[in-house]
Amino acid sequence: MSQPSLKQLSYILAVAKSGSFRGAADELGISQPTLTAQIARAEEALGEKLLERSRNGAYLTPVGRLFEPQARRVIEAMEELGQIVGDTNINEKATYRLGVKGTLGPYLLPQILPALKDAHPNLQFYVREDTPHGLEEGIARGDYDLIITALPVNSKDLVQEPLLREKILLAAPADHSLSQVKTWRGSYLKGEQVLTTEPGHQFARLVEGVCQRLGAQVRRDYEGSSLDALRLMVVMGMGLTFLPALYVESEINADSGITVGELADETIARLHVLAWRPSSPARGFYKVLAQDLRSIIAQRLGHAVEVVDRL
């Protein structure tokens, strides 16, 4: 018995999925006569009729229903082989749509993308900032190929590779009483006014939880639209705030007018992951990227954050 080609198998599966020869031909971008001829050759090679036409469309025959899952497994196996062989040769030459949180991207990506470019010279990213909710919705719609976001990730359908754990640090005006204290403790925040970003942001929810636990008061009359806005309001003496370690690393220096420190008795942090759809053809390459990113982060930012290789 002759064997049908992989292309013919994919044509048969396309008709089975579409329920019609015309719909499958449109989806595949070929003419209907070409599709019909290729499937006829596959059926002739197998010596069995796999598809039955009717006025209502096209259906798998009983033999076709037995054939369909086996054909699908063959196609999937060949895709896996293609990934193993072609990930580094093909996928690293592509342009990927990368979504990242606005409170992370500007302070992480400039530090790591040049080294990633050295490792994969033909790799390109189209970068867009979004909220965690927007990132998850966007990758589900196909707006993004990859996202870098913080846990928790609400979608259970995404593959998640951990990258780094980032501490959240307390910031006070340079003339605040805390600036004179060597060791900061959570109890010092009781009754203090704390500024944060607008409600609904994942970062804002994290800060609100800390404030509730420590007895601090979140200022609702002055909510920052960005981390820069929070920093400026702290400089003006409008309250304390919390800032991510990578923001502090990038934007805060001795002349910033604020003092930044860690609470000795409180661990406040967020865990960032690289996530993608499990069906992505480049999923094997994405795992390589995650490992490369962890290595680069450890080399360039290991003094500011903790690299994490498992959830």
Side-chain angles (χ1 to χ4, degrees):
M1 180 179 64
S2 302
Q3 301 296 324
S5 68
L6 290 173
K7 180 180 291 187
Q8 290 168 346
L9 292 183
S10 68
Y11 287 176
I12 293 165
L13 293 176
V15 174
K17 179 181 178 182
S18 173
S20 76
F21 277 74
R22 177 175 294 177
D26 291 342
E27 184 177 338
L28 293 166
I30 61 176
S31 68
Q32 189 172 338
T34 297
L35 175 68
T36 301
Q38 287 294 324
I39 291 177
R41 289 174 187 169
E43 291 177 327
E44 182 180 353
L46 292 168
E48 294 286 351
K49 198 74 173 173
L50 301 176
L51 290 163
E52 176 184 350
R53 280 183 168 180
S54 73
R55 287 180 299 177
N56 296 323
Y59 307 91
L60 288 168
T61 64
V63 172
R65 288 195 295 271
L66 293 173
F67 177 86
E68 189 265 347
Q70 304 298 330
R72 192 172 303 282
R73 276 195 281 273
V74 170
I75 295 295
E76 290 173 352
M78 291 305 298
E79 288 177 352
E80 291 289 341
L81 285 174
Q83 285 179 20
I84 293 171
V85 174
D87 267 345
T88 55
N89 295 326
I90 297 174
N91 291 326
E92 72 172 5
K93 298 179 182 179
T95 298
Y96 297 98
R97 294 164 296 178
L98 174 65
V100 64
K101 292 173 44 168
T103 58
L104 175 69
Y107 319 111
L108 173 66
L109 297 184
Q111 300 292 328
I112 64 173
L113 288 187
L116 191 64
K117 184 72 172 177
D118 290 341
H120 303 279
N122 296 311
L123 179 66
Q124 293 186 330
F125 285 117
Y126 172 77
V127 180
R128 179 180 174 185
E129 294 177 13
D130 208 336
T131 64
H133 181 69
L135 291 173
E136 289 192 40
E137 283 195 339
I139 198 167
R141 289 194 304 265
D143 296 342
Y144 304 116
D145 300 306
L146 293 156
I147 60 173
I148 300 178
T149 190
L151 296 183
V153 174
N154 295 317
S155 174
K156 305 301 182 184
D157 297 329
L158 296 179
V159 178
Q160 302 171 40
E161 275 284 325
L163 295 178
L164 65 109
R165 180 177 288 107
E166 179 187 26
K167 289 183 178 179
I168 307 300
L169 306 175
L170 181 64
D175 58 356
H176 193 279
S177 59
L178 277 175
S179 298
Q180 311 305 316
V181 179
K182 184 175 181 180
T183 303
W184 291 4
R185 300 191 179 280
S187 59
Y188 298 169
L189 269 69
K190 187 173 182 179
E192 291 282 355
Q193 298 285 310
V194 176
L195 300 154
T196 188
T197 51
E198 297 164 339
H201 288 211
Q202 195 176 55
F203 183 76
R205 291 195 294 271
L206 174 61
V207 171
E208 289 165 3
V210 172
C211 291
Q212 184 177 15
R213 188 171 70 253
L214 299 179
Q217 298 176 2
V218 176
R219 292 199 66 168
R220 295 300 185 190
D221 49 345
Y222 295 104
E223 292 161 344
S225 58
S226 67
L227 296 178
D228 284 337
L230 291 179
R231 180 189 67 184
L232 293 175
M233 287 190 286
V234 170
V235 171
M236 297 300 294
M238 298 173 66
L240 310 178
T241 196
F242 286 92
L243 296 172
L246 286 175
Y247 177 84
V248 173
E249 172 75 11
S250 172
E251 305 297 321
I252 305 300
N253 55 48
D255 299 323
S256 297
I258 64 176
T259 303
V260 179
E262 186 178 346
L263 295 178
D265 54 351
E266 290 281 339
T267 300
I268 308 167
R270 55 183 186 174
L271 179 61
H272 299 292
V273 299
L274 182 70
W276 61 85
R277 294 180 299 276
S279 60
S280 172
R283 55 191 180 273
F285 181 57
Y286 294 162
K287 281 191 170 289
V288 174
L289 279 183
Q291 182 58 51
D292 287 348
L293 288 172
R294 284 191 290 263
S295 297
I296 294 168
I297 292 167
Q299 292 170 7
R300 299 204 165 196
L301 295 167
H303 60 283
V305 299
E306 175 191 358
V307 172
V308 180
D309 60 7
R310 65 181 62 186
L311 294 176

